[in-house]
Amino acid sequence: MSRPLLRGVSGMRISGNGHDPWDSEMKERNEKEDLEKDHSTDQSYLALSSGTPRSRQNFTMLVLKFSLIAIVFLALTGSFWWTISISTSSRGHIYHGYRRLQEQLVSDLWDIGEISLGSSRSKDLEFCSEDFENYVPCFNESQNLALGYSNGDEVDRHCGQDLKQHCLVLPPVKYRIPLRWPTGRDVIWVSNVKITAQEVLSSGSLTKRMMMLEEEQISFRSASLMFDGVEDYSHQIAEMIGLRNESNFILAGVRTILDIGCGYGSFGAHLFSKELLTMCIANYEASGSQVQLTLERGLPAMIGSFASKQLPYPSLSFDMLHCARCGIDWDQKDGIVLLEVDRVLKPGGYFVWTSPLTNPQAFLRNKENQKRWNFVRDFVENLCWELVSQQDETVVWKKTSKASCYSSRKPGSGPSICSKGNDVESPYYRPLQPCIGGTRNRRWIPIEERRNWPSRANLNKNELAVYGVHPEEFAEDTENWKTAVGNFWSLLSPLIFSDHPKRPGDEDPSPPYNMVRNVLDMNAHFGGFNSALLEKGKSVWVMNVVPTIGTNYLPMILDRGFVGVLHDWCEAFPTYPRTYDLVHAEGLLSLESGHRHRCTTLDIFTEIDRILRPEGWVIIRDTARLIESARALTTRLKWDARVIEIERNSDERLLICQKPFFKRQAS
């Protein structure tokens, strides 16, 4: 973590527990001169008093030398006996004390290095080359293959090999500010995403096909003849569950949906109007990315893979998982990927799978497909899933609501229950587990027994106890965020950077209609920022990020009916450039400063710039010292920025920034 630069340090002297080297040298020089003077006086005195010959002087010097050797020998002998007399525990204390001195010295030298390099580090960052327009760090399949990754690991996320890129990513030449929500949900600019006309026309999945290329735009308009397919499809799923229509998903306990291989987000876009929150997750794609287009539409999405590692969500996270021709072979790897579906699915939740493999008519033509279907059907039955309905290519299963079901299975039938050590709430970079997870969790509450949305966002005393949170702490956090969001919204206006600030008494200017849609909270805590935005009636969705080095409240956030993810902010976030309209961070700098030298503030800010849209906003709240240090970095990033005092006698400050719209010149 970068330490704040200190002012007025030129010409300073560094001193530690020892004496200053210059003072020591002068002292030794004076002592030597005094010794020589005394020695000269002694010699004169001996010569005058006794008149001895030169041999007597040599003898005297020899005696002095032997005396000095004897003193040194006695000192070393005493030191040796003192050392071996020390107990093992005492030596341990001395060693650890020495280690602490070493660590402190390294830390001090680090700070001194930052101070001495301050002038060289103050240069503005350069713009990245054109190759970085759609670059996502940590996803490099060819490099991963060269490093020996295989069996699906090569398409997964590997951040250790990437060098930090301290440059600013420019948008494409023809980039345009996205249309505001809800218009931007149905129409996006072709130049804002990396996709070819051929990729648009050849899109194969149900949700991908519901798009049309119109000159400079890609349209997902409801006037499209294909759009009725999504509405009919959603209606079919609702009826298969036993509901009248998709508007009743909320009444069945469904609020959050993980859409695997989501196409371009049309399923989630339709359900959003029904107050359902759908998170799209798909593999990294260099071109024609499902995640990039979904985010461009203003819908929740992130890059993620079932290939070899667990998803960065705790157990029992979603009410429904959906896969419509998502490209995953659920029968492969002995069903271990289905175990991951079971892990993140809440008790009583639904798994919806649409695939040619599930069509009974296809079995008559392809025996191999029938074999694969039989494996999946038998495997999930051993996971205590109930087959609710099967129509055409769509099948719906319901996960058991009773944890006792697993113990009632026949011995040896199906996967075993995960041990406590293998069932964790922070599955960051953990390999897929060949066991059933979440069954011992205190959060094992069937979705039909939870309060429906939006009541579930306001947790009661008993619900808070599951997460170790006191009702008073939760209530205070909620009220603070209600106030803060009201203040934030009045600040999100270009007028705050005007040379002529508002006169006292003027009303706060109203921001443009729905000026933000995609919001990222870098240190979400309880999800209070998300909750307050929705209570204020803002048409936003929030990616609630819980840092891996902080307290893990992600289970609580997900149970409230929000979406979020675990993440280490010293790594790149799994998304494409120009993803978010607003990035918010409260206390993140303090959190990172408590884990020094993991990465620098510049590393984190450069990543914020990469994922922030042109003319997007950054709001950072932290201590005055850290905010002032961060403010100095914003000039290097070319952001417009202002520090705001929150209240008098408070050590906290607010840093409000806006990223300018820099255009790359056509070559």
Side-chain angles (χ1 to χ4, degrees), residues 491-511:
L491 292 170
L492 296 186
S493 164
L495 289 180
I496 68 169
F497 304 120
S498 170
D499 293 331
H500 305 284
K502 296 183 300 176
R503 293 187 298 276
D506 287 352
E507 294 183 359
D508 289 333
S510 299

Side-chain angles (χ1 to χ4, degrees), residues 366-480:
N366 191 323
K367 296 298 181 182
E368 180 62 26
N369 281 353
Q370 184 175 7
K371 181 181 177 181
R372 295 176 63 189
W373 159 252
N374 289 339
F375 174 87
V376 173
R377 182 196 60 196
D378 295 342
F379 190 87
V380 299
E381 184 178 341
N382 286 323
L383 295 180
C384 290
W385 289 11
E386 175 193 357
L387 180 59
V388 176
S389 182
Q390 185 174 4
Q391 293 181 16
D392 301 325
E393 293 187 351
T394 301
V395 60
V396 178
W397 282 284
K398 182 179 174 67
K399 179 177 176 176
T400 183
S401 299
K402 299 177 180 179
S404 60
C405 174
Y406 302 107
S407 58
S408 64
R409 296 177 301 169
K410 294 179 181 179
S413 63
S416 60
I417 304 298
C418 291
S419 64
K420 193 172 182 179
N422 287 333
D423 192 4
V424 297
E425 294 280 42
S426 304
Y428 198 69
Y429 283 130
R430 281 177 57 86
L432 293 171
Q433 301 294 310
C435 54
I436 301 174
T439 60
R440 310 170 191 269
N441 202 305
R442 294 178 64 193
R443 295 170 45 243
W444 182 281
I445 302 173
I447 62 171
E448 57 266 24
E449 295 180 15
R450 291 181 180 272
R451 289 183 293 163
N452 294 333
W453 176 264
S455 299
R456 68 190 285 183
N458 301 311
L459 302 176
N460 59 38
K461 181 179 179 180
N462 294 333
E463 291 168 332
L464 290 170
V466 174
Y467 317 103
V469 177
H470 294 288
E472 296 79 9
E473 183 183 6
F474 182 72
E476 182 181 1
D477 182 79
T478 300
E479 290 304 315
N480 288 342

Side-chain angles (χ1 to χ4, degrees), residues 118-152:
S119 59
S120 65
R121 292 186 177 186
S122 62
K123 294 194 308 180
D124 288 358
L125 298 185
E126 301 293 332
F127 292 114
C128 302
S129 67
E130 191 174 348
D131 296 337
F132 285 82
E133 279 183 2
N134 297 283
Y135 173 65
V136 181
C138 306
F139 292 93
N140 190 327
E141 186 173 349
S142 58
Q143 181 179 336
N144 293 338
L145 286 170
L147 292 171
Y149 292 107
S150 59
N151 297 324

Side-chain angles (χ1 to χ4, degrees), residues 237-248:
I237 294 172
E239 288 184 333
M240 292 173 71
I241 291 174
L243 305 174
R244 184 177 178 180
N245 53 48
E246 61 270 35
S247 299
N248 295 119

Side-chain angles (χ1 to χ4, degrees), residues 33-305:
E33 290 175 357
D34 293 339
L35 183 62
E36 289 175 352
K37 186 185 293 184
D38 293 342
H39 183 59
S40 176
T41 304
D42 290 343
Q43 285 184 333
S44 301
Y45 174 77
L46 289 170
L48 289 171
S49 60
S50 59
T52 57
R54 184 177 182 84
S55 59
R56 186 178 296 276
Q57 294 180 12
N58 294 337
F59 176 76
T60 303
M61 292 298 297
L62 187 63
V63 170
L64 289 173
K65 288 179 180 179
F66 275 113
S67 299
L68 181 61
I69 292 171
I71 291 170
V72 172
F73 175 77
L74 290 172
L76 292 174
T77 304
S79 174
F80 171 76
W81 286 108
W82 174 78
T83 301
I84 65 173
S85 67
I86 296 177
S87 65
T88 303
S89 60
S90 298
R91 288 201 300 271
H93 288 306
I94 292 171
Y95 173 76
H96 288 304
Y98 174 69
R99 289 290 300 169
R100 282 196 297 271
L101 287 173
Q102 273 191 321
E103 291 169 359
Q104 183 61 45
L105 177 60
V106 171
S107 175
D108 291 343
L109 289 174
W110 182 284
D111 295 341
I112 294 167
E114 286 200 337
I115 293 169
S116 64
L117 292 174
S119 59
S120 65
R121 292 186 177 186
S122 62
K123 294 194 308 180
D124 288 358
L125 298 185
E126 301 293 332
F127 292 114
C128 302
S129 67
E130 191 174 348
D131 296 337
F132 285 82
E133 279 183 2
N134 297 283
Y135 173 65
V136 181
C138 306
F139 292 93
N140 190 327
E141 186 173 349
S142 58
Q143 181 179 336
N144 293 338
L145 286 170
L147 292 171
Y149 292 107
S150 59
N151 297 324
D153 251 342
E154 68 277 7
V155 299
D156 232 329
R157 173 183 169 85
H158 300 281
C159 289
Q161 311 301 324
D162 279 19
L163 298 175
K164 299 290 184 183
Q165 299 290 340
H166 285 168
C167 61
L168 306 180
V169 178
L170 282 174
V173 173
K174 296 183 179 180
Y175 181 87
R176 300 173 69 172
I177 299 298
L179 300 169
R180 295 193 182 115
W181 181 272
T183 306
R185 176 191 58 195
D186 301 324
V187 180
I188 64 173
W189 302 111
V190 175
S191 55
N192 288 12
V193 294
K194 188 175 182 181
I195 189 170
T196 64
Q198 183 59 33
E199 286 172 327
V200 174
L201 298 173
S202 63
S203 297
S205 76
L206 173 69
T207 51
K208 280 184 179 180
R209 285 200 305 268
M210 297 175 190
M211 53 192 290
M212 297 184 298
L213 187 61
E214 300 176 350
E215 297 181 356
E216 297 181 339
Q217 298 177 336
I218 298 176
S219 175
F220 305 84
R221 293 186 185 277
S222 57
S224 166
L225 295 175
M226 295 298 299
F227 183 84
D228 291 337
V230 166
E231 187 170 350
D232 290 343
Y233 176 66
S234 304
H235 191 82
Q236 176 191 358
I237 294 172
E239 288 184 333
M240 292 173 71
I241 291 174
L243 305 174
R244 184 177 178 180
N245 53 48
E246 61 270 35
S247 299
N248 295 119
F249 275 132
I250 292 286
L251 301 178
V254 177
R255 156 66 179 172
T256 55
I257 301 172
L258 184 65
D259 194 2
I260 306 162
C262 61
Y264 296 136
S266 293
F267 182 64
H270 173 65
L271 293 180
F272 191 84
S273 62
K274 313 299 180 184
E275 296 191 83
L276 300 176
L277 191 58
T278 302
M279 168 66 75
C280 164
I281 186 168
N283 288 335
Y284 167 76
E285 297 165 290
S287 180
S289 166
Q290 303 170 67
V291 170
Q292 188 180 37
L293 266 77
T294 301
L295 286 163
E296 189 67 19
R297 299 181 65 184
L299 300 166
M302 63 173 284
I303 302 171
S305 171

Side-chain angles (χ1 to χ4, degrees), residues 567-641:
H567 183 65
D568 180 352
W569 281 114
C570 284
E571 298 177 351
F573 195 68
T575 192
Y576 292 82
R578 304 172 301 279
T579 291
Y580 290 97
D581 303 299
L582 170 63
V583 175
H584 170 263
E586 184 197 27
L588 180 67
L589 301 182
S590 293
L591 182 64
E592 286 289 347
S593 66
H595 297 75
R596 298 169 63 184
H597 309 152
R598 287 175 6 99
C599 57
T600 67
T601 307
L602 183 60
D603 294 332
I604 297 173
F605 275 32
T606 307
E607 176 61 8
I608 292 174
D609 186 86
R610 183 184 74 86
I611 63 180
L612 190 64
R613 285 173 170 169
E615 298 187 1
W617 299 87
V618 180
I619 301 178
I620 299 176
R621 179 171 178 167
D622 225 299
T623 63
R625 179 179 66 87
L626 292 172
I627 288 295
E628 288 300 333
S629 178
R631 171 66 179 87
L633 287 178
T634 61
T635 58
R636 302 183 60 189
L637 296 160
K638 303 176 175 60
W639 293 351
D640 297 320

